[in-house]
Amino acid sequence: QVHLVESGGGLVQAGDSLRLSCAASGRTFSRWAMAWFRQAPGKEREFVALISWSGFSTIYADSVKGRFTISRDNVKNTVYLQMNSLKPEDTAVYYCAADQVIGRTKPNEYDYWGQGTQVTVSS
């Protein structure tokens, strides 16, 4: 079982950067693929990025490609989402999730979720 806690959200202006963190607990954390999702008011939860257990395979949503970078530190049991050139449309609650299979981009395919952290980008 994996327990996830997100942090690092906040209120920023368009063009600014934020770095989100997801602290994970579990003795087999390094074997889990990790993903970031986000959910804006009135919208469904959508895929943002994922990373394999090794950290060498990543996938990004088209909306964030070139601006966001996902990474992980298995020693610290933490996954990061570096968000650059933020836009107002990036405003959402950001969630991290864990899965044993790499490549899944649908929220209902993940069993383990954090509580979420709010990211608000003003124009």
Side-chain angles (χ1 to χ4, degrees):
Q1 188 172 351
V2 179
H3 180 65
L4 309 172
V5 180
E6 303 96 333
S7 63
L11 174 63
V12 298
Q13 295 183 339
D16 285 352
S17 298
L18 277 177
R19 190 190 193 192
L20 305 183
S21 298
C22 177
S25 61
R27 296 185 65 84
T28 60
F29 170 76
S30 63
R31 296 288 187 177
W32 291 67
M34 300 293 297
W36 286 96
F37 292 80
R38 66 186 182 185
Q39 187 166 17
K43 296 184 178 180
E44 295 183 345
R45 190 168 299 186
E46 66 174 350
F47 169 77
V48 176
L50 65 80
I51 187 168
S52 66
W53 67 267
S54 68
F56 294 125
S57 297
T58 58
I59 299 176
Y60 296 92
D62 289 339
S63 59
V64 306
K65 196 172 299 181
R67 298 187 299 120
F68 291 10
T69 302
I70 187 171
S71 61
R72 68 190 298 164
D73 185 335
N74 289 341
V75 175
K76 294 183 176 181
N77 291 337
T78 302
V79 177
Y80 305 97
L81 184 68
Q82 178 66 46
M83 305 185 295
N84 298 326
S85 301
L86 283 164
K87 305 175 181 179
E89 48 263 48
D90 294 319
T91 296
V93 177
Y94 283 71
Y95 301 89
C96 65
D99 191 13
Q100 293 185 4
V101 178
I102 186 68
R104 293 174 173 175
T105 60
K106 299 178 180 178
N108 59 12
E109 295 176 322
Y110 287 77
D111 292 327
Y112 300 100
W113 294 87
Q115 292 290 302
T117 184
Q118 176 70 48
V119 173
T120 302
V121 184
S122 63
S123 60

